[in-house]
Amino acid sequence: MDYSIARRRMVEQQIKARGIDDQRVIDAMLTIPRHLFVEAGLQSHAYGDASLPIGEKQTISQPYMVAAMTAALELQGDERILEIGTGSGYQTAILSKLVKRVYSIERIAVLAGRARKILDQLQLSNINIKIGDGTVGWKDQAPFSGILVAAGSPDVPQKYLDQLDIGGKLVLPVGDREEQILIRIIRKNENHFERQQLMGCRFVPLIGEQGW
Ligand code: SAH
């Protein structure tokens, strides 16, 4: 099955039509085969306008949400990015096309393993995946020029602010277990963080020491 037409349609109708105009993000979404990140029985739905189950009560995020969060980081290409919630690995793959190195943390080992395998098959070699509680960040590799959190948090974990480089951007959903608001925080200097609300969203919960 050739999914390139479905992928192009996804980018036109769900991504560009909704105002994402970062050409590098658009190119990454045209390139990465999203259907490989879902189970065989769901592949024909992979380019639809929705999140999909990936097992373990988790989901692969809606394509538009992946694009919007990625675009919000305003990536140039030389960044080191921390991603929390590897899940299927799809968002990880998109980021890997756009930055120097992606550090991704997933708490569920089977998901991390599955993601690792697909990312290796796609020969995306600038990705480190760690199994563990991502609410504490990844201290050894900090600071990061961007942190993208793909699970809903009750609050902004302090460790993310601590591990953000000056000028770095943190994008994360904050709210209750059902609904959140996507927030972007930019570290202007050592002590000044600028906070913006981007849009409403629905993510699975961020579970851990500084999450739920
Ligand atoms: N970007 C992924 C989203 C997966 S859903 C995708 O599109 O496939 C969110 C993921 O966050 C789930 O896999 C869940 O297990 C993971 N998660 C939740 N809390 C976490 C934590 N504290 N640390 C690491 N991963 C976490």
Side-chain angles (χ1 to χ4, degrees):
M1 182 80 189
D2 177 10
Y3 284 105
S4 61
I5 293 170
R7 192 154 56 241
R8 236 176 295 147
R9 197 183 305 133
M10 170 190 87
V11 168
E12 287 300 325
Q13 298 177 352
Q14 301 170 35
I15 310 299
K16 286 165 84 173
R18 291 189 191 138
I20 306 288
D21 58 5
D22 183 327
Q23 192 57 45
R24 296 179 70 243
V25 175
I26 290 166
D27 289 343
M29 301 215 44
L30 282 170
T31 308
I32 297 295
R34 182 172 162 92
H35 61 280
L36 297 184
F37 293 86
V38 300
E39 63 185 77
L42 288 176
Q43 290 200 342
S44 62
H45 299 282
Y47 298 98
D49 192 12
S51 57
L52 291 170
I54 54 171
E56 313 295 320
K57 295 192 198 143
Q58 307 304 323
T59 55
I60 176 173
S61 304
Q62 178 196 22
Y64 171 69
M65 194 50 69
V66 171
M69 291 177 88
T70 308
L73 290 174
E74 298 178 326
L75 301 167
Q76 305 300 318
D78 56 351
E79 294 90 348
R80 296 166 65 259
I81 298 293
L82 175 65
E83 179 196 34
I84 311 298
T86 319
S88 67
Y90 176 67
Q91 170 82 73
T92 323
I94 296 290
L95 287 170
S96 86
K97 287 281 186 194
L98 299 172
V99 302
K100 194 152 90 192
R101 191 140 207 111
V102 185
Y103 297 86
S104 187
I105 309 177
E106 170 57 55
R107 58 182 284 275
I108 301 177
V110 280
L111 295 180
R114 219 181 283 153
R116 175 86 267 170
K117 219 169 121 193
I118 302 161
L119 296 166
D120 286 348
Q121 275 165 13
L122 293 174
Q123 296 178 310
L124 301 171
S125 55
N126 59 342
I127 299 167
N128 294 41
I129 297 180
K130 180 162 96 169
I131 297 164
D133 177 8
T135 65
V136 297
W138 194 326
K139 198 170 173 223
D140 299 349
Q141 296 296 343
F144 299 98
S145 20
I147 302 178
L148 187 158
V149 185
S153 181
D155 225 320
V156 180
Q158 179 61 39
K159 300 258 164 92
Y160 297 162
L161 301 177
D162 297 342
Q163 293 179 20
L164 204 55
D165 212 348
I166 307 295
K169 301 184 182 83
L170 162 65
V171 177
L172 86 169
V174 176
D176 59 35
R177 274 183 172 261
E178 305 300 324
E179 283 183 300
Q180 305 88 30
I181 293 174
L182 191 65
I183 294 199
R184 175 167 68 177
I185 293 172
I186 303 175
R187 185 169 203 171
K188 292 291 187 181
N189 59 44
E190 191 63 29
N191 300 310
H192 181 219
F193 294 84
E194 188 181 285
R195 185 174 170 138
Q196 302 159 322
Q197 300 196 352
L198 301 181
M199 66 184 93
C201 56
R202 299 176 80 101
F203 279 84
V204 297
L206 181 74
I207 295 168
E209 193 183 302
Q210 299 206 22
W212 291 102

